[in-house]
Amino acid sequence: MITHAFIFARGGSKGLPGKNIMPLLGKPLIQYSIEVALKTIGIEKVFVSTDDADIATVAQSNGAIVIDRPIELAQDNSPEWLAWKHAINWVKEQYGDFNEFVSLPVTSPLRSVKDVESAILRRSNIGADICIAITPANRSPYFNMVKKLSDNSIELVNEAENKIFRRQDAPEVFDITTVVYVADVEFIMNNGNIFDGTVASVEIPKCRAVDIDDIYDFKFAEVILKNNFEKD
């Protein structure tokens, strides 16, 4: 089994411009993902796919191999799955075949090495096509999430067969996080969506499941790191 890690970092970001190399407690944001990848047992090489020269420089200085991402795969509406396929093809051409693909998005700097290793092991043990990270959701479609109807009234997103009056009685639901994705290479190349195959998961505590999209997320991550909150 040959496993490589990939970090996808576009130069453009409308929610938080320049976030991928914005300093978080003195380190560029992308450095957190690279460092975890380099420390994870079983990962052989770490690649950063980017269209941005500054991101490429930071990535190389931290030990990653840079993949030049085409402009058409670095737009706001570019499907990340296509960037995955491009990166896989590039690595195969440059370094030969490999079996397992690990994506560590820049936006989850609080992940641990243990999170990544657990996802790799989980996929292997179950024989799943892909393993994703999840965390307990704050809201439930069975209890306190609603949708608007055509007459402007609202109803629950999911109506349970029996009425639910307490959150504790609702089915447990989770948010997908960007902490880690571990997939079979051939599954990615032959499909177009995470849920096209068998999906396994690892549960991540909320303190490590922060997904940075805007300045508020960034400041929240900063607070967690500064206070060195318990991670397990």
Side-chain angles (χ1 to χ4, degrees), residues 155-219:
E155 67 178 16
L156 285 170
V157 173
N158 283 327
E159 186 74 54
E161 188 171 326
N162 298 315
K163 292 290 185 182
I164 295 173
F165 299 101
R166 300 188 312 152
R167 179 183 174 84
Q168 296 93 324
D169 297 328
E172 192 172 16
V173 293
F174 299 86
D175 290 325
I176 297 174
T177 79
T178 59
V179 169
V180 59
Y181 302 86
V182 181
D184 175 75
V185 168
E186 292 308 308
F187 168 70
I188 294 173
M189 298 308 295
N190 294 323
N191 292 278
N193 186 279
I194 288 172
F195 292 98
D196 285 344
T198 304
V199 184
S201 67
V202 289
E203 187 173 339
I204 309 295
K206 287 184 178 294
C207 61
R208 296 201 302 273
V210 176
D211 182 13
I212 296 178
D213 184 55
D214 56 31
I215 190 62
Y216 303 105
D217 301 326
F218 194 91
K219 292 298 183 183

Side-chain angles (χ1 to χ4, degrees), residues 52-78:
D52 185 271
D54 292 333
I55 292 174
T57 297
V58 173
Q60 287 176 326
S61 68
N62 282 282
I65 300 165
V66 172
I67 299 172
D68 186 16
R69 194 194 309 195
I71 296 299
E72 63 269 20
L73 296 181
Q75 306 302 308
D76 287 336
N77 60 353
S78 300

